[in-house]
Amino acid sequence: MLLRDFISASELSQLNTRSNWLATKLIIFNYLVIISAFTMLSIWPNPITFIVAISLIGARQLGLAILLHDCAHFALFSKPNLNNFIGHYICGSVVNQSVFQYREYHTKHHIHTGTANDPDLSLVAAYPVKANSLKRKLLRDITGITGVKFLVNDIRSFKATNLRWVVFHLLLLSLFIVIGQVWLYAVWWASTLFIYPLVARLRHIGEHGTVTQRGAKDVRLNTNTTIVPFWQRCLIAPNYVNYHTEHHLSPGIPPYRLAEMHKLLSERGFYDGQGCIRRGYGEVLKHAVVK
């Protein structure tokens, strides 16, 4: 299977075109969602708006991690230096990741997808699991157990590069103090501890947890795409991360062109007879459970 059998060289060239404007819009949109969620909660503080706010903020924390991932591929902006700077500081400071360290780590994932040498294999190797096992995993996420584990690991592995993360939190806390809403800082941590691990797990399961043949060479066998409704794009799969088969086919294609790529491939029968397409994360979870 070759990508050029389904997409022409000129079409692939167009898909690979980076747009600084579209990339900037994505960055701004993710931050605007976070700001809007905090604003809504500060104006109408109640249990419903709290749940909505932490769900939106947690999803956009994942969204910024995804944009860092795209910068690691030099796929978001047109210039390498822009990808490095935006990925490292504007996105990475929020989620405590270095675009440079992530790039080195993540390149191995693309080279060795689903094999014993895949550094992400431990995230998905157990799937599909028994129903009770999946419930326990999701319960650990939503109750903060997984989030606290991540936080402890971050603190134990703290290095000089993590100072960006500390500066971000100092700025965020200072902002809430200035506007007289210091309690909102706890909302950020609620999103980090209770929502981010959950949506991150769903992302990993959707991408490589329920594949047809883990470790196969054909990307249609070792990677999945999830077609999602609007609400799942908002709460689970931001920034086109659900088009993961397409991403593995050509990692340099910008996220804002993956939907177009999927449409072309669908029209030309690329997915016909394959099991790499899921319809929503409900279907993903069904496949994540042992029959």
Side-chain angles (χ1 to χ4, degrees), residues 122-123 140-141 143-157 192-193 197 201:
S122 62
L123 299 172
R140 288 198 297 269
D141 295 340
T143 57
I145 295 173
T146 307
V148 170
K149 178 182 176 182
F150 287 165
L151 179 59
V152 170
N153 288 339
D154 282 346
I155 293 172
R156 285 178 175 172
S157 59
T192 300
L193 297 178
R201 184 183 300 277

Side-chain angles (χ1 to χ4, degrees), residues 83-102:
N83 284 292
N84 286 339
F85 180 83
I86 299 295
H88 196 61
Y89 292 101
I90 307 302
C91 302
S93 299
V94 176
V95 294
N96 197 23
Q97 290 188 26
S98 161
V99 73
F100 306 105
Q101 292 173 0
Y102 181 82

Side-chain angles (χ1 to χ4, degrees), residues 58-272:
R60 291 301 143 177
Q61 289 172 344
L62 175 64
L64 291 169
I66 290 163
L67 293 178
L68 175 141
H69 155 271
D70 294 323
C71 287
H73 283 288
F74 299 108
L76 196 60
F77 291 89
S78 62
K79 303 294 184 183
N81 286 344
L82 263 179
N83 284 292
N84 286 339
F85 180 83
I86 299 295
H88 196 61
Y89 292 101
I90 307 302
C91 302
S93 299
V94 176
V95 294
N96 197 23
Q97 290 188 26
S98 161
V99 73
F100 306 105
Q101 292 173 0
Y102 181 82
R103 182 178 293 135
E104 181 180 358
Y105 162 93
H106 190 64
T107 299
K108 296 175 185 176
H109 165 65
H110 277 267
I111 295 172
H112 305 292
T113 306
T115 70
N117 294 320
D118 183 352
D120 282 345
L121 184 62
S122 62
L123 299 172
V124 296
Y127 296 99
V129 297
K130 293 182 179 180
N132 285 339
S133 176
L134 180 60
K135 290 176 182 176
R136 286 194 298 270
K137 293 177 190 298
L138 298 178
L139 186 62
R140 288 198 297 269
D141 295 340
I142 203 67
T143 57
I145 295 173
T146 307
V148 170
K149 178 182 176 182
F150 287 165
L151 179 59
V152 170
N153 288 339
D154 282 346
I155 293 172
R156 285 178 175 172
S157 59
F158 192 88
K159 298 177 182 178
T161 56
N162 299 110
L163 288 174
R164 297 168 295 112
W165 179 56
V166 175
V167 170
F168 166 76
H169 276 275
L170 290 174
L171 291 173
L172 186 65
L173 179 58
S174 299
L175 173 63
F176 290 139
I177 292 173
V178 168
I179 65 174
Q181 300 275 357
V182 68
W183 65 276
L184 288 175
Y185 182 64
V187 175
W188 178 269
W189 278 108
S191 304
T192 300
L193 297 178
F194 301 112
I195 302 299
Y196 180 87
L198 176 64
V199 292
R201 184 183 300 277
L202 292 175
R203 172 200 173 185
H204 291 308
I205 297 174
E207 292 173 353
H208 300 289
T210 65
V211 295
T212 303
Q213 188 179 340
R214 188 172 292 128
K217 294 293 185 181
D218 191 330
V219 71
R220 294 171 295 185
L221 300 178
N222 65 33
T223 306
N224 284 348
T225 279
T226 306
I227 306 304
V228 296
F230 175 76
W231 73 269
Q232 290 186 7
R233 290 210 312 271
C234 294
L235 299 177
I236 303 174
N239 303 331
Y240 311 99
V241 70
N242 52 301
Y243 292 106
H244 206 61
T245 304
E246 296 75 14
H247 170 64
H248 269 256
L249 273 168
S250 187
I253 291 179
Y256 38 80
R257 304 203 192 280
L258 291 176
E260 180 184 355
M261 182 182 185
H262 176 82
K263 184 174 183 293
L264 287 174
L265 291 172
S266 296
E267 292 170 348
R268 296 166 189 182
F270 177 78
Y271 307 103
D272 292 354

